[in-house]
Amino acid sequence: VVFSQDVDEIIVQARIEGNDTIIMMDLPEYCVTSRMPRKLKTKFRKHSKLEYNVKKAYPYAKLAGLKLNEYEVLLKNASSDQERRKLMKRAEQELKDEFEDDIRKLTFKQGLILIKLVDRETGDSSYELIQELRGKFTAFFWQTFARLFGYNLKTEYDPEGADREIEEIVVMIENGQL
């Protein structure tokens, strides 16, 4: 006897939940390969580069926030302007000795990110910090010098807008995900 359709029987396990029958079966592994669309590839590369740059700049910004808090306590306890100036000179020299070489090695983009992250960590732009700690003339000088190289010390951090991606990366670093 020959039938027009041969039917192979497959016995599978099933679970009944309410009025539904759910088939439980192991499927063979299947590998899907596809080329990433060019736009997505470019976006991925940009994000990876931003992630790398934030990882490089973030420790210095974090340290800037800690050092600023430390120096603010010392400056509040200073008895005179002369003592304040001495403390600031000493603090500036300590920072230069410890970090000048590392900061000079940062790329242009990492420098821009550092300026934004310093604002994030301290609540003040780099310009405002210099103005507060060293005076208006010094702040003006450094702002002019920074502008010659394409930086703006008055740049403020905007975690909801332009700096949303940076904020996401920083949160991931803080949570130990990166």
Side-chain angles (χ1 to χ4, degrees), residues 14-52:
R15 184 174 66 213
I16 299 173
E17 289 185 12
N19 293 333
D20 293 330
T21 303
I22 300 171
I23 296 173
M24 299 170 63
M25 177 179 186
D26 288 330
L27 298 174
E29 188 175 311
Y30 186 77
C31 183
V32 176
T33 57
S34 175
R35 290 189 146 201
M36 191 182 290
R38 186 172 289 150
K39 278 185 179 180
L40 204 59
K41 197 182 278 187
T42 305
K43 210 174 197 179
F44 177 76
R45 259 194 234 120
K46 282 183 179 180
H47 185 77
S48 295
K49 202 167 198 170
L50 179 64
E51 208 171 89
Y52 174 80

Side-chain angles (χ1 to χ4, degrees), residues 102-177:
D102 295 336
I103 297 218
R104 283 184 187 269
K105 291 178 186 174
L106 294 179
T107 65
F108 180 79
K109 285 285 188 185
Q110 290 166 354
L112 289 174
I113 291 168
L114 178 60
I115 289 170
K116 289 181 179 193
L117 290 176
V118 165
D119 182 29
R120 179 188 189 271
E121 291 300 315
T122 62
D124 292 324
S125 70
S126 297
Y127 180 82
E128 291 167 341
L129 291 173
I130 295 169
Q131 185 176 353
E132 191 177 301
L133 300 172
R134 299 283 296 170
K136 288 183 179 183
F137 178 76
T138 307
F140 174 75
F141 169 78
W142 283 111
Q143 172 67 357
T144 305
F145 189 71
R147 295 300 280 169
L148 289 173
F149 291 96
Y151 295 104
N152 182 0
L153 299 178
K154 294 181 181 180
T155 302
E156 292 187 0
Y157 187 70
D158 181 16
E160 303 295 319
D163 303 320
R164 194 179 86 249
E165 273 188 279
I166 294 174
E167 179 66 18
E168 289 171 2
I169 293 167
V170 169
V171 168
M172 288 173 72
I173 291 170
E174 288 174 345
N175 291 336
Q177 294 172 313

Side-chain angles (χ1 to χ4, degrees), residues 3-118:
F3 295 102
S4 62
Q5 293 177 338
D6 285 333
V7 179
D8 290 334
E9 288 186 21
I10 300 174
I11 299 173
V12 295
Q13 292 182 339
R15 184 174 66 213
I16 299 173
E17 289 185 12
N19 293 333
D20 293 330
T21 303
I22 300 171
I23 296 173
M24 299 170 63
M25 177 179 186
D26 288 330
L27 298 174
E29 188 175 311
Y30 186 77
C31 183
V32 176
T33 57
S34 175
R35 290 189 146 201
M36 191 182 290
R38 186 172 289 150
K39 278 185 179 180
L40 204 59
K41 197 182 278 187
T42 305
K43 210 174 197 179
F44 177 76
R45 259 194 234 120
K46 282 183 179 180
H47 185 77
S48 295
K49 202 167 198 170
L50 179 64
E51 208 171 89
Y52 174 80
N53 289 335
V54 170
K55 282 182 188 178
K56 281 283 204 178
Y58 183 64
Y60 298 112
K62 194 76 173 159
L63 195 64
L66 293 172
K67 290 283 187 185
L68 183 68
N69 290 337
E70 181 183 314
Y71 294 134
E72 277 183 356
V73 171
L74 292 173
L75 292 173
K76 282 181 184 177
N77 295 331
S79 58
S80 66
D81 282 343
Q82 185 178 6
E83 189 180 344
R84 280 178 59 103
R85 273 190 238 115
K86 280 184 182 179
L87 283 170
M88 285 311 305
K89 287 280 189 187
R90 190 180 75 204
E92 186 176 341
Q93 193 59 47
E94 283 176 16
L95 291 172
K96 272 186 181 179
D97 293 344
E98 197 172 343
F99 303 108
E100 185 175 21
D101 293 335
D102 295 336
I103 297 218
R104 283 184 187 269
K105 291 178 186 174
L106 294 179
T107 65
F108 180 79
K109 285 285 188 185
Q110 290 166 354
L112 289 174
I113 291 168
L114 178 60
I115 289 170
K116 289 181 179 193
L117 290 176
V118 165

